[in-house]
Amino acid sequence: MLTGLSIRNIVLIEALDLAFDGGLTVLTGETGAGKSILLDALGLALGMRADSGLVRAGTAQASVTASFEPPLPGTALAALLAENEIAQEPGEPLLIRRTLKADGGSRAFLNDQPCSAALLKDVGALLVEIHGQHDERGLLNPRGHMDLLDAYGGMDSGAVRAAHGAWQTAQGRLEAAREALDSAAKERDYLAHAVEELSRFAPEPGEEEALASERAAMQKGARLTEDLATLETLLGGSDGALSGLRQAARRLDRIAPEHDLLAAALASLDRAVIEAAEAEDQLARASEALAADPARLDAIETRLFDLRALARKHQVAPDDLADLSARMATQLARIDAGEAGLAELEDEVAQARAAYEAAAQALSEARRAAAKRLDAAMAGELAPLKLDAARFRTDVEPLPEGQWRASGRDRVEFMISTNPGAPFAPLTKIASGGELSRFILALKVALAAQGAAGTMIFDEIDRGVGGAVAGAIGERLSRLAGGAQVIVVTHSPQVAARGAGHLLIAKSSEGTITRTGVHPLDEAERREEIARMLSGAAVTDEARAQADRLLEGV
């Protein structure tokens, strides 16, 4: 609910601070007093287009601040503020501020936090509905008619949305599988060849390193073969060093007892024979370990070169060839089994579609039933508003399959026929200004609070009517105000008499300076203003008496 409005330097309004209560508040004043300026200022705060022409002449900047009751937790407004990280202190009013410079620049704030004009407009749409003869939003926008009808009929489209989501998810999986199958099928021959080639070669992780190590060892052995052979000749054999050491040891053994030094020499010589024998054994083992088998070396090099060539061909590391072979084999198996998988997905899609169609059909039937109830409610509202020749119809039409959506398979639009026998058409196409305003009011009453923001503003909805019709408009506005804050700009005394609060908009001049002001009226002032509305510039006693009767009759 709008609780306050502060305006600075907007057209003829120099400075204005207003407080608003709930219920029905009426704004009256002579033609040209500036009622539209007040609504333009509020519209600026609610995110409407920033027009530099609104800035009061001679000033550099205009501003409008609107305060609203704090949003209730769990509401769309509270969620929107939280989503955009707009802090809202519990119990504190929601403040909207918009500044506009004379050069056209503007800034917007929510609770003193800068925000975009787009966010401000979204927030404003949840706070206030402004209805007038040229309103192109709200009830006149067919895009919102389905939600209004669903709310009126108490329908929950959650089951349809869930079923639609499941259907679309299944359809997406099927399409992805088809694309993958089509793409893979084009490579089937390549995959089959590659899998056969890799399976025949049978690469193993770590094989490259093992082959390279063995190859390096054999190449080293080939280089050392001659040296090892020479060493074996020098050390072993009948003429080798070890044989000579043994012969010397045998000869020394015969004479060692003759002297201690000879015995010591024999001991050293025995150790040398043992060490030389060990060296001979190690050389033999080394020769065996480093033996270079030309056939084996050739086989190793062939395998190693083929392994690396295969890795380059498939653009992977040699150690990854085994994993690549497994992946390709799996992919090939999927291609071969692809048709069976597609059949399962197609069955899943068919089941999900059937579930959606069943839920959408039930929702369509509920909508058609609610449409009949709404049409009957509207029929009861039109006659008192001098629209008794008009007819209202809620069209619930099936959409072609390509347009089925999460909200169902229907197109919903409010239609009217203004004269007997005239075809039905959208409200905005065939209703005149006065008729359109009354249709809006009738719809708001018939729909009660469905889709309504906390504050509804009606701009001269009673233009061109009077008497009983104006009285009926006032009664319906008062009824609406029982469930929401209603503010109405009116020229009708019958409507003004229904207000719980009354604001008078007046223009004053001081020399060359003209200002617009707004004055809350007490009971006596209300009586005088309604009498003026009844009689014109010269207020008569009869007009005052009639004003009393209007005030007493509400």
Side-chain angles (χ1 to χ4, degrees):
M1 183 182 84
L2 177 66
T3 58
L5 186 64
S6 178
I7 303 172
R8 297 291 183 272
N9 297 322
I10 295 289
V11 193
L12 298 179
I13 300 176
E14 184 175 13
L16 181 63
D17 295 292
L18 294 175
F20 292 89
D21 295 319
L24 176 61
T25 298
V26 297
L27 282 71
T28 65
E30 295 183 356
T31 300
K35 297 184 289 296
S36 62
I37 299 174
L38 196 66
L39 295 186
D40 288 342
L42 179 58
L44 182 66
L46 297 175
M48 301 305 173
R49 187 176 66 87
D51 183 356
S52 60
L54 292 174
V55 180
R56 180 177 170 83
T59 61
Q61 177 176 288
S63 68
V64 182
T65 302
S67 62
F68 294 84
E69 290 183 332
L72 296 175
T75 60
L77 177 58
L80 182 60
L81 294 176
E83 179 183 340
N84 288 275
E85 300 180 349
I86 301 298
Q88 177 64 52
E89 295 296 328
E92 292 296 317
L94 171 62
L95 294 178
I96 296 179
R97 181 163 59 93
R98 188 92 177 271
T99 61
L100 176 62
K101 294 182 179 180
D103 62 7
S106 71
R107 297 186 68 192
F109 302 87
L110 283 168
N111 287 342
D112 289 328
Q113 294 178 242
C115 69
S116 66
L119 175 59
L120 195 66
K121 191 171 184 178
D122 290 341
V123 170
L126 294 173
L127 289 167
V128 178
E129 290 181 8
I130 300 179
H131 299 289
Q133 295 185 37
H134 305 293
D135 184 17
E136 296 293 338
R137 299 161 293 121
L139 295 176
L140 301 186
N141 187 345
R143 287 180 294 179
H145 291 178
M146 180 181 293
D147 290 339
L148 289 170
L149 179 63
D150 286 355
Y152 176 78
M155 278 88 73
D156 182 4
S157 61
V160 175
R161 294 185 183 278
H164 184 270
W167 177 29
Q168 294 306 303
T169 299
Q171 186 68 40
R173 286 199 297 267
L174 175 60
E175 291 174 358
R178 282 175 174 162
E179 289 177 4
L181 187 61
D182 290 343
S183 176
K186 296 175 183 177
E187 301 179 0
R188 193 188 186 290
D189 291 342
Y190 164 74
L191 286 172
H193 170 75
V195 168
E196 193 277 332
E197 180 183 43
L198 288 169
S199 298
R200 186 174 63 251
F201 191 84
E204 296 179 1
E207 184 178 5
E208 181 194 28
E209 182 178 356
L211 290 172
S213 296
E214 186 177 358
R215 173 175 174 260
M218 295 187 74
Q219 287 175 332
K220 185 187 296 183
R223 291 196 305 271
L224 298 176
T225 297
E226 184 177 349
D227 291 333
L228 290 172
T230 301
L231 287 169
E232 286 178 357
T233 300
L234 291 173
L235 188 60
S238 57
D239 296 328
L242 183 57
S243 177
L245 286 172
R246 286 173 177 156
Q247 289 177 17
R250 284 194 299 271
R251 185 175 291 272
L252 185 59
D253 183 58
R254 288 196 296 269
I255 63 174
E258 300 299 328
H259 195 279
D260 289 344
L261 289 174
L262 293 175
L266 177 60
S268 296
L269 194 56
D270 285 341
R271 289 194 300 273
V273 169
I274 293 171
E275 292 292 333
E278 289 181 359
E280 182 183 38
D281 183 59
Q282 290 169 349
L283 283 171
R285 291 202 302 271
S287 296
E288 182 180 354
L290 294 171
D293 179 1
R296 175 60 182 163
L297 179 59
D298 183 63
I300 290 174
E301 289 185 334
T302 299
R303 176 76 178 179
L304 182 61
F305 295 156
D306 288 347
L307 180 68
R308 289 172 174 172
L310 201 57
R312 288 193 299 273
K313 177 180 178 180
H314 292 287
Q315 297 181 344
V316 296
D319 283 352
D320 294 334
L321 282 171
D323 182 58
L324 175 66
S325 178
R327 291 202 311 271
M328 285 183 165
T330 300
Q331 191 175 359
L332 187 61
R334 285 176 179 169
I335 294 174
D336 293 337
E339 292 300 327
L342 283 182
E344 291 179 4
L345 288 173
E346 286 169 351
D347 183 61
E348 182 182 341
V349 169
Q351 293 182 24
R353 174 189 169 121
Y356 168 76
E357 288 193 47
Q361 179 62 27
L363 182 59
S364 296
E365 292 173 359
R367 281 173 176 159
R368 284 191 285 270
K372 290 181 179 179
R373 297 196 301 273
L374 178 58
D375 294 350
M378 278 293 291
E381 294 293 334
L382 294 178
L385 295 175
K386 204 176 179 181
L387 294 169
D388 45 308
R391 292 174 298 154
F392 175 88
R393 185 179 76 195
T394 305
D395 278 353
V396 182
E397 300 292 338
L399 290 169
E401 182 176 339
Q403 297 179 25
W404 291 358
R405 50 201 175 197
S407 57
R409 303 183 301 176
D410 308 310
R411 179 189 61 81
V412 176
E413 187 169 5
F414 299 148
M415 310 286 284
I416 64 167
S417 170
T418 53
N419 296 296
F424 281 89
L427 280 170
T428 53
K429 293 190 180 297
I430 62 174
S432 66
E435 288 176 330
L436 185 58
S437 299
R438 283 175 278 153
F439 267 112
I440 291 172
L441 178 58
L443 268 172
K444 289 304 302 182
V445 174
L447 291 167
Q450 307 304 333
T455 299
M456 287 179 281
I457 297 176
F458 293 88
D459 182 14
E460 298 187 356
I461 199 169
D462 51 6
R463 175 172 293 186
V465 299
V469 177
I473 290 175
E475 187 275 332
R476 278 152 179 78
L477 288 170
S478 180
R479 197 192 314 170
L480 275 180
Q485 181 185 46
V486 177
I487 300 172
V488 56
V489 176
T490 181
H491 290 284
S492 168
Q494 291 90 342
V495 173
R498 291 276 182 175
H502 194 145
L503 301 176
L504 176 64
I505 303 173
K507 187 163 40 177
S508 62
S509 298
E510 295 180 10
T512 60
I513 300 175
T514 302
R515 296 183 178 89
T516 288
V518 180
H519 174 60
L521 302 182
D522 58 23
E523 288 301 316
E525 292 170 329
R526 283 191 69 197
R527 172 177 175 266
E528 195 70 10
E529 170 62 8
I530 293 173
R532 181 199 65 77
M533 296 171 73
L534 286 164
S535 64
V539 180
T540 65
D541 290 338
E542 175 56 30
R544 294 188 178 93
Q546 190 174 352
D548 288 335
R549 289 193 291 273
L550 284 176
L551 290 168
E552 292 170 0
V554 299

